[in-house]
Amino acid sequence: MNQLLYGAAYYDEYMPYERLEQDMELMKAAHINVIRIAESTWATEEPEEGVFDFTHVERVLSVAEKAGISVIVGTPTYAIPPWLAAKHPQVLAVTPRGQGKYGPRQNMDITSPVYLFYAERVIRRLMECVSRFDNVIGYQLDNETKPYGTCGPNVLKRFGIHLRKKFGTAEALNAAYGFNYWSNRVDCWENLPDVTGTINGSYAAEFARFQRGLVDEFLAWQADIVREYAKPGQFLTHNFDYSWVGHSYGVQPEVNHKTAARCLDIAGCDIYHPSQNALTGKEIGFCGSLCRGLRHDNYLLLETEAQGFANWTPYPGQLRLQAFSHVAQGAVSVMYWHWASLHNACETYWKGILSHDLQPGAAYREVSTIGADFARLSGKLWGLRKENRVAVLVSNDALTGIENFPLPEGTNYNHVVRWLYDALYELNMNCDVIFPEDSFENYDVLLVPALYCAPKELLGRLCAFAQKGGELVAAFKTGFSDENLTVYPESQPAHLTDCFGISYEQFAVPEHTALKSDVLALPEDREARVWMELVRPEGAAVLASYEHKFWGGYAAVTENAFGKGMATYLAAMSSPGVLKTILKRVLSRAGLWGAEQEAGFPIHIESAVNQAGQRVRFYFNYSGDDIEQAYLHKDGVELLSGRPVCAGSILHMEPWGFQIVEEQAQYK
């Protein structure tokens, strides 16, 4: 790939009448250069057991090849055909709710030998068909794969083997998980209890980790099969999705994206985000940063909405803003779900580029402008490299830990993650999202949200980051339990007390408690929210304490010089305004505060370096108002219009508009 990919999922078999040639003509006119096919049509590809029919696949590949449109082929394994469930009902996953029934997609046990047999057969037959077409550029393994809650006898047996390998003896398991409590003590491996009924958080968390590993195994298994047929230059990818709150939001609890992506050539993702007045770009930023961090490289956006639900129908200009926002994060493709709105089935009202009339309407016309710009600017915008000095550390284990021991008011791990990330986003501080496996050495500032569950080694690496000169910022609930979800039997934050210069033993839910400070100019909204730890400084400076009759003697925000660096601790959740005030202090000390940060949301600025070594600046207007913004960087050329832009000149941006400036001086 050396150009931006722009396209949509396309299913000839879903169309109400013959229009393949017409669709390809419309795509070409819109500068669409890639489509995704085949991923969810197993029942069409194998309508009866052992009877294969790839007519629709071959038709689309042939016509697309004539039109000069590339194709990504998806393996069809995430939606099993009715005949398979009828003949082998054991392939349907047993979940904590009981035996699954046929109907929804992703209802199978991905460890079932029977399912894997039939899945491998259809994958191989599909690959034999499509591998002869030259316009196939890559393969998508399955679709938004998860363990789907699978916990049948086969899975529980494997889990028992996993535990035995990990602990060796039942005695070691009892000690690690505190099974003495409530008489859960296990006398032998044969009497290991069913994890789906457990009240032990450590045991439940280990099973969640084990289930995430099943996804790693399943995708790697598919990758090995597909690579037998893939030609040189064809890539393997997968479309990871995220936690869902009516749209893509945070770290996926059921999959460790970092480990699952190891079998891929390039990471891919599906990002669905609010539109209309709720469009902020934050979901694009966070989810894109997370996907970029899987392989520390560019990534494929394999699905996003063109129109989607009725509350997502985009205002004029928003599709363009969204598409270029994805590119600014390092995406080398923007692809829609999907080309044409369905006329029946469960996603009838999830609208595509074409509405139900299948005519080129408003969405199609805006898509066409994006396609034209992508075609014209690919040389400038393909393969953008992000070089951020700030990172947010995320952890699936910490997420699971807080799921088992939840915070008040329905607050979960991803809320804490997004509390920190969103503040950086609104401050125009571009950042990476990294994982515990990653190195911290390339960053000046590291934010750690609620790292509830962490081994001593990881906590030691955090201390070393600050000691070597980094700015470390950790939020409440960090350093509380070990990797087995066993609380460290020492002062909290465990193994971090010297680094942060604090300790605490008590915590509370804030009621009518505000933050006060003699050091920081706090905004009017100073209320503590959700959680507060009663921190005692032990060498740390107090930046803010609690404005409360009884809790007033405890610290809420501290900072501590540790080695060559600084460690800031946030003992309570606060308003975005308070958090941004604290982060300004941290970023200023790191030499990262500047005019971009003063610009403030709804102006959002992203920076990257292109393949020619030129710095590219994106100025986005995430509002429904006309905005004038001073250009804050070196002289350059605005890529959409081709006009020169000088430092200090005024950029005029329409509602939901943007400008892209390539600096003329080569980046070093």
Side-chain angles (χ1 to χ4, degrees), residues 8 56 65 87 250 268 284 357 371 462 505 554 561 634:
H56 287 287
E65 192 167 39
K87 182 174 182 179
I284 296 174
D357 61 3
L462 295 178
E505 63 190 56
Y554 294 103
K634 296 177 181 177

Side-chain angles (χ1 to χ4, degrees), residues 387-465:
E387 296 183 344
N388 297 325
R389 306 303 305 165
V390 179
V392 177
L393 176 68
V394 299
S395 162
N396 279 96
D397 287 340
L399 185 157
T400 302
I402 290 180
E403 280 187 341
N404 280 275
F405 299 100
L407 290 161
E409 301 177 18
T411 302
N412 62 34
Y413 175 77
N414 275 316
H415 292 137
V416 185
V417 171
R418 287 292 303 272
W419 173 58
L420 292 173
Y421 177 87
D422 290 1
L424 291 172
Y425 180 93
E426 291 190 359
L427 290 171
N428 285 319
M429 182 52 59
N430 294 186
C431 72
D432 292 337
V433 176
I434 62 173
F435 293 78
E437 299 94 325
D438 292 323
S439 170
F440 307 154
E441 293 182 357
N442 294 328
Y443 300 100
D444 299 321
V445 179
L446 179 61
L447 274 62
V448 183
L451 189 63
Y452 181 81
C453 175
K456 293 179 184 178
E457 178 271 338
L458 177 54
L459 299 175
R461 288 172 58 211
L462 295 178
C463 292
F465 173 81

